[in-house]
Amino acid sequence: MANILVYALHYDGAINKNSLGAVSEGAKLAAELGGEAHAILLGENVPQDLAASLGKYGAKKALVAEGPEGLAQPLVDAMAKAIADGGYKYALFGGGLLGFEIGAGLAARLGAGVAMEVTSVRAENGELIAERPILGDSAISEIKYRSDVGIIIGRLNAFEISESAGADAAVEQLSFELSPHASQATMLTRGEQRGADVDIEGADILVAGGRGLGKAEGFELAENLAKAFGGNSAVAATRAVVDAGWYPYAAQIGQTGKTVSPKLYLAAGISGAIQHKVGMQSSENIVAINKDANAPIFEFSDLGIVGDLNKILPKLTEAVKAKKGA
Amino acid sequence: MKICVLVKEVPDAAVEKKINPSTGRMDRSGEKNLNPYDTHAIEAAMQIKEGGAVPVEEIVAVTMGPESAVRALHKAVSLGADRSVHLTDEAVAGSDVAATGYALARTLQRESPDLVLLGQQSDDGECYTIGAVVAEHLGMPSLTQVIKMDIESEALRCERQAEYGYDTVQIKLPAVISVGDAINEPRYPSLKAIMGAKKKPLDSVSAADVEIDPSKVGGENSAAQWVAAKAPPSKAAGEIIEDEDTDETVEKIVAWLDERKLI
Ligand SMILES: Cc1cc2nc3c(=O)[nH]c(=O)nc-3n(C[C@H](O)[C@H](O)[C@H](O)COP(=O)(O)OP(=O)(O)OC[C@H]3O[C@@H](n4cnc5c(N)ncnc54)[C@H](O)[C@@H]3O)c2cc1C
Ligand SMILES: Nc1ncnc2c1ncn2[C@@H]1O[C@H](COP(=O)(O)O)[C@@H](O)[C@H]1O
């Protein structure tokens, strides 16, 4: 039977959007293979209705396992058990971070093939073929599986959410044993929001800053430009500067931050790493200022300025103000 | 305590990465260097050693790769590792992530480390996951993308950013940790360390030496099989302005924005 087991990450009473995408994709692919998509959730007292709601995205069954949340290795144990019981041919994960760790651990446990950063999957002759961009997205490789189980880890936002008025998923309890090493990790605090709770998701214009701003105070340049644009504009950031404590996590764009698609995304001092790109590539207009002509961000910007942001941003701010005043 | 650091030789950042169309594998010719992300893992090991909270007997750099990967080990030693281990064997060439992680785990097993450190990603492989594979084979707990790590006798207190914000996780030793590039600012090697690096012990091992099952490694035995490579859909190249006269540059940007009604 060509069933697909899909990991559904949940937090604070809601299923992660990338997991909803993965469940939708899993259901579509399973139908093409003549099988079913089943979701798996793990946590402390996972709400039954939350699990059942995955039926709307195409899951026929939702397996619910009891265990510590937010850690990968308990899920490796639970998914290995489900696969041993239920004859799944593929395990599917949406983009993010935990799915990468679980999928890779599961590949090791099962001796299975794994492809990560997958942007599209197709069924061909009863098998799935995964497409994975490589070498800084300059080529796309196609991957097939020789193993009994194939593991597919999606890139952030790769799988579209498709919701219908379908029936609830049948919720089943999954019992499994935690392996000794999985019990060696303990979550002390989860989901800490560092920095101010800024709201950037609704902004039409985002001025985004990266390590090229040089220091926390460098963000003033970005804030001044956003202010000059006025109206519905805000400032966003990369993980590098959020990790460094220069800007709040709530403003971070990318794989472990927010996904945005404003009318204008103006990136200053941002290299354009894939994990950043996945959170902003669907912006309507992308403008990048970077002093390195070879920066990857120029590969996907509509207007690229090769130059020093310290020279350009202040003058651009004045020019935008003047234009608005005119 | 013994720390093993996994390091990889990758194409230099300035070299254009491409696929060799006849083999479907990465073209590994051209200038190579130590994966820059791995210098953060070596630095993290050095800081534990110098921090003095626990005595560190040894830091061992471990790599799997062709002959030339020795240079990445020399670099790792110049940055502080005491010695290095090089798994090199035709049998492991072309291994996928899962097979590479298995082979590295076998190599590490012989060293019985208390802590295995890795970089957040390899510049060419971009899998972010070798750590999770290695940990599963070694039966150790693990965490990736760690940006703060405090050592407390038998455990590590680790912080990292995940999907919903920052998590703090306690991990008991022995463990496998991949560190994010925000964890530290790697030092530069001293001239003396660079000169001395070639004199430090370097153990070259084959697949058989570390009891790797040859049926589980190599391109032909890897469970993920590359069937094709193609070019990504082409996207119209954006306009580029080289900033020479900033007033002029700014004028052009404003005109561009204005045309699209963005101001
Ligand atoms: C699992 C995982 C998840 C991740 N999640 C995210 C995420 O959610 N969001 C995210 O952003 N990243 C994420 N990352 C990190 C990502 O890989 C990059 O490291 C990060 O995006 C780099 O940030 P940056 O562009 O600010 O810094 P850098 O890559 O250091 O780039 C700085 C740029 O500034 C330019 N510059 C320097 N000075 C100037 C100047 N004076 N004028 C003009 N330009 C200048 C430089 O040329 C350079 O291109 C993740 C990584 C991993 C492995
Ligand atoms: N062939 C290798 N030899 C030693 N370490 C490796 C190798 N490949 C990857 N690594 C380690 O795994 C980390 C993550 O790499 P990757 O999962 O390929 O992105 C790197 O930063 C290295 O520390």
Side-chain angles (χ1 to χ4, degrees):
Chain A
M1 223 189 346
N3 287 349
I4 301 178
L5 184 62
V6 188
Y7 168 55
L9 166 64
H10 71 100
Y11 181 68
D12 216 9
I15 307 276
N16 184 280
K17 279 190 185 152
N18 274 275
S19 292
L20 294 179
V23 171
S24 307
E25 180 77 12
K28 189 187 90 189
L29 293 167
E32 291 178 42
L33 297 176
E36 294 180 351
H38 299 166
I40 180 165
L41 298 87
L42 180 146
E44 290 123 28
N45 301 315
V46 177
Q48 297 281 310
D49 52 344
L50 187 68
S53 74
L54 289 168
K56 287 205 289 284
Y57 305 91
K60 289 279 185 278
K61 243 193 234 178
L63 307 176
V64 172
E66 185 75 21
E69 287 178 18
L71 297 168
Q73 287 168 323
L75 270 145
V76 174
D77 292 335
M79 291 183 77
K81 173 68 164 42
I83 288 169
D85 291 350
Y88 294 98
K89 204 165 170 207
Y90 296 96
L92 181 65
F93 300 83
L97 181 62
L98 268 179
F100 276 72
E101 296 178 329
I102 303 164
L106 194 60
R109 177 78 60 91
L110 303 175
V114 58
M116 58 281 301
E117 287 283 309
V118 168
T119 47
S120 120
V121 188
R122 64 174 193 274
E124 216 174 86
N125 304 324
E127 291 183 285
L128 295 185
I129 298 177
E131 290 195 358
R132 189 221 158 159
I134 50 170
L135 307 179
D137 288 2
S138 62
I140 295 174
S141 65
E142 294 195 345
I143 293 163
K144 270 197 341 201
Y145 299 91
R146 292 188 176 108
S147 42
D148 295 339
V149 179
I151 296 171
I152 300 168
I153 307 172
R155 176 175 278 192
L156 196 82
N157 302 320
F159 305 135
E160 220 167 290
I161 299 175
S162 112
E163 192 181 343
S164 65
D168 277 359
V171 179
E172 276 180 24
Q173 227 50 48
L174 174 83
S175 53
F176 73 103
E177 235 170 277
L178 212 55
S179 58
H181 59 283
S183 53
Q184 301 298 300
T186 315
M187 181 71 71
L188 300 177
T189 54
R190 188 173 180 205
E192 184 195 331
Q193 302 299 303
R194 294 192 176 161
D197 183 18
V198 292
D199 181 13
I200 60 162
E201 277 165 297
D204 287 331
I205 294 180
L206 280 176
V207 178
R211 194 137 47 188
L213 290 175
K215 51 184 188 296
E217 293 71 33
F219 265 92
E220 271 175 35
L221 295 177
E223 283 174 342
N224 289 342
L225 179 56
K227 235 180 272 158
F229 277 114
N232 199 0
S233 58
V235 172
T238 63
R239 186 182 80 168
V241 296
V242 172
D243 274 348
W246 296 1
Y247 219 66
Y249 170 68
Q252 183 185 309
I253 306 300
Q255 183 160 343
T256 44
K258 303 219 156 75
T259 295
V260 292
S261 45
K263 289 201 173 84
L264 172 63
Y265 193 90
L266 193 150
I270 293 180
S271 60
I274 289 161
Q275 297 81 15
H276 187 75
K277 174 181 166 181
V278 293
M280 48 64 76
Q281 62 187 351
S282 59
S283 302
E284 284 173 39
N285 294 283
I286 300 171
V287 175
I289 303 174
N290 197 304
K291 67 175 183 191
D292 174 8
N294 294 317
I297 195 150
F298 291 132
E299 303 286 326
F300 54 93
S301 46
D302 303 297
L303 177 64
I305 297 105
V306 183
D308 184 352
L309 64 87
N310 294 305
K311 276 166 55 188
I312 299 166
L313 287 184
K315 288 196 171 174
L316 182 57
T317 302
E318 289 315 312
V320 169
K321 268 192 211 156
K323 183 84 197 163
K324 293 205 72 117
Chain B
M1 148 158 184
K2 178 169 173 179
I3 305 176
C4 283
V5 184
L6 288 176
V7 300
K8 188 183 186 189
E9 180 193 51
V10 297
D12 192 80
V15 174
E16 194 194 342
K17 296 167 196 149
K18 52 182 193 292
I19 298 294
N20 177 335
S22 64
T23 60
R25 288 189 202 162
M26 195 138 359
D27 182 347
R28 295 194 186 274
S29 58
E31 210 40 49
K32 296 190 194 72
N33 212 333
L34 171 64
N35 178 27
Y37 296 100
D38 299 346
T39 61
H40 295 275
I42 300 165
E43 181 64 30
M46 289 301 286
Q47 290 187 9
I48 294 174
K49 184 174 174 176
E50 292 164 355
V54 290
V56 173
E57 286 88 48
E58 226 185 356
I59 298 173
V60 185
V62 177
T63 198
M64 168 178 132
E67 207 58 37
S68 61
V70 164
R71 280 174 307 192
L73 291 175
H74 287 154
K75 180 96 186 271
V77 168
S78 76
L79 288 167
D82 298 297
R83 62 181 176 87
S84 52
V85 178
H86 183 194
L87 168 64
T88 184
D89 199 312
E90 211 22 65
V92 297
S95 292
D96 67 0
V97 194
T100 300
Y102 162 72
L104 286 170
R106 294 299 318 158
T107 311
L108 288 164
Q109 195 108 48
R110 226 177 52 147
E111 296 288 336
S112 308
D114 300 290
L115 176 61
V116 177
L117 295 175
L118 302 87
Q120 70 174 37
Q121 68 194 78
S122 60
D123 230 8
D124 54 350
E126 301 168 317
C127 299
Y128 329 109
T129 47
I130 296 273
V133 176
V134 167
E136 182 60 36
H137 285 294
L138 293 176
M140 291 183 188
S142 86
L143 206 63
T144 66
Q145 309 299 326
V146 169
I147 58 158
K148 189 164 186 286
M149 191 166 63
D150 293 315
I151 189 148
E152 359 180 272
S153 63
E154 303 289 293
L156 298 167
R157 193 187 162 92
C158 300
E159 295 180 14
R160 61 115 166 237
Q161 187 191 90
E163 283 94 340
Y164 297 101
Y166 286 86
D167 295 347
T168 304
V169 184
Q170 188 201 56
I171 308 268
K172 294 219 181 90
L173 294 170
V176 179
I177 306 287
S178 96
V179 301
D181 63 353
I183 195 168
N184 54 39
E185 217 29 87
R187 67 195 69 185
Y188 289 101
S190 68
L191 194 60
K192 186 162 157 260
I194 295 172
M195 302 305 284
K198 288 186 185 154
K199 298 195 193 81
K200 294 274 179 74
L202 189 158
D203 193 6
S204 181
V205 299
S206 70
D209 290 337
V210 293
E211 292 169 40
I212 286 172
D213 176 348
S215 74
K216 293 187 177 169
V217 291
E220 291 305 311
N221 298 319
S222 288
Q225 181 192 5
W226 281 33
V227 287
K230 60 182 185 188
S234 65
K235 184 181 175 264
E239 217 174 296
I240 295 281
I241 303 174
E242 302 262 357
D243 177 41
E244 276 151 18
D245 175 339
T246 304
D247 290 319
E248 217 174 276
T249 302
V250 161
E251 221 171 279
K252 285 186 200 157
I253 303 172
V254 170
W256 191 93
L257 294 172
D258 194 35
E259 235 170 78
R260 288 160 185 79
K261 305 209 166 14
L262 293 166
I263 300 188

